[in-house]
Amino acid sequence: MPPVAPHFQTVGCLTGEVPVRATESDVLARHVGIVKKSIPESTHMTIQFSTVKEPRHLRISLKRGLAKQAVSKAQKAQADDAAIFSELRNVSPNRRSMERSVLRLRKSPGVVRAGIADDQIIVIFRHACAMLTRVDGVDLFSENVLIYTRVSASAGKGKLGIRINRVSFNQHALERLIERSRCRIRPDFLSSVDAEAAAALKLAQDGEWIEDNGDDYIQSRENGVWAGSLDFSSAEPEWDLQQADAQIPVFSARTFLGPEEMKPSVWLRWQDDPCLSFVA
């Protein structure tokens, strides 16, 4: 499906600014900004996991702690944006150089995927950030999010071609994934989120999302969809892009919907059969 240009309003300017879609209920201009600062650590928490299949009530009781633990774990292994982009700029346009760079990138903190596809290096890295929401220049609230960045880089003739997109998950979205899906409840829940992000980034880059009545949805690896909006963020200064004011597309996942929570129109699109075709 071809990308649909979102409608949004923004005011002010923050590092990593992510405008939010304006809806009919909006009475004030609003925007959110991604602020890379430390998230205060709470009292240490340990969760014991069982190999027995988890009932729904267990998922509901564990969802908040498990989601917070994932964000806290990501906070301790933040990606080094400057080092990642420096590595990509030093790649020579030959397979051996690309392979060496991929091996180095895979050892970097915060890098969740790195590999070669179609003569390009593709790297996905994450940050745990405080996302600040402002309305009419007034700070309303800050929430902790995981934001993932996918960079496709190709080197040749002294130039580096780069394509970037991002996806973010707030804590509420992670909690709903645990509650409404059959994802494994395990101590390393962050790795499940990493896999979800990698899949969502690829779908978003290819324009494969569902647009319905002003809202956007992306297929999950689990049985459901991520619901949110297609926004834009400013390029991070550590990337040192030639176009410093470049706007980076971001799919902001704000909740997870299983089949029972979807609107009928979204469910039909998710089934890839919006017309309920008859097959003889």
Side-chain angles (χ1 to χ4, degrees):
M1 180 174 62
V4 178
H7 301 287
F8 53 83
Q9 298 174 343
T10 61
V11 291
C13 181
L14 290 177
T15 301
E17 178 179 314
V18 182
V20 178
R21 180 190 310 280
T23 64
E24 295 179 358
S25 61
D26 286 339
V27 293
L28 297 172
R30 61 180 184 169
H31 76 275
V32 297
I34 299 170
V35 183
K36 291 182 179 176
K37 62 181 182 180
S38 298
I39 300 171
E41 293 190 13
S42 57
T43 304
H44 179 71
M45 172 183 62
T46 301
I47 301 178
Q48 298 293 333
F49 293 84
S50 172
T51 56
V52 180
K53 186 176 180 180
E54 313 88 0
R56 181 175 174 80
H57 73 270
L58 178 60
R59 288 182 171 275
I60 293 174
S61 64
L62 292 179
K63 64 180 182 181
R64 180 169 298 179
L66 203 57
K68 289 180 66 175
Q69 182 174 275
V71 174
S72 177
K73 185 174 181 179
Q75 175 70 21
K76 297 175 182 177
Q78 301 275 35
D80 186 340
D81 294 36
I84 291 171
F85 276 80
S86 175
E87 180 68 46
L88 294 175
R89 288 190 177 89
N90 290 327
V91 176
S92 300
N94 62 75
R95 181 77 184 191
R96 190 169 183 178
S97 176
M98 295 171 69
E99 290 174 350
R100 286 197 296 263
S101 291
V102 165
L103 291 175
R104 285 191 290 266
L105 286 168
R106 287 180 176 179
K107 297 177 182 179
S108 302
V111 172
V112 300
R113 298 283 191 282
I116 301 172
D118 299 326
D119 296 325
Q120 292 183 326
I121 290 180
I122 299 176
V123 57
I124 298 174
F125 54 91
R126 69 165 178 258
H127 285 283
C129 304
M131 181 176 286
L132 177 66
T133 298
R134 282 183 172 178
V135 173
D136 199 24
V138 178
D139 296 351
L140 285 189
F141 64 89
S142 178
E143 61 178 345
N144 299 335
V145 303
L146 296 178
I147 185 160
Y148 292 79
T149 305
R150 185 182 197 267
V151 180
S152 302
S154 57
K157 298 181 179 179
K159 295 183 179 179
L160 179 67
I162 291 180
R163 185 178 181 183
I164 306 174
N165 69 310
R166 310 178 95 176
V167 63
S168 71
F169 302 93
N170 62 15
Q171 185 173 316
H172 174 81
L174 300 181
E175 291 178 13
R176 288 293 183 256
L177 173 67
I178 297 167
E179 176 185 349
R180 295 171 173 173
S181 77
R182 294 184 179 180
C183 69
R184 290 180 59 193
I185 293 182
R186 55 181 181 175
D188 193 20
F189 173 64
L190 181 59
S191 64
S192 297
V193 182
D194 292 344
E196 285 286 342
L201 284 164
K202 182 62 167 65
L203 290 172
Q205 179 179 274
D206 295 341
E208 297 182 14
W209 64 82
I210 299 170
E211 196 278 332
D212 183 80
N213 196 29
D215 295 317
D216 298 300
Y217 306 84
I218 279 187
Q219 174 108 17
S220 167
R221 297 175 75 249
E222 298 294 333
N223 192 36
V225 296
W226 295 103
S229 62
L230 179 64
D231 306 317
F232 291 90
S233 73
S234 300
E236 303 292 346
E238 296 91 344
W239 299 350
D240 194 23
L241 300 183
Q242 187 174 4
Q243 186 181 352
D245 59 349
Q247 294 296 296
I248 311 301
V250 183
F251 181 82
S252 303
R254 296 190 171 89
T255 193
F256 175 87
L257 303 177
E260 296 179 356
E261 291 82 31
M262 296 181 201
K263 295 186 295 183
S265 56
V266 174
W267 185 88
L268 290 171
R269 298 280 297 279
W270 174 63
Q271 293 290 319
D272 199 23
D273 188 19
C275 298
L276 291 177
S277 304
F278 174 75
V279 179

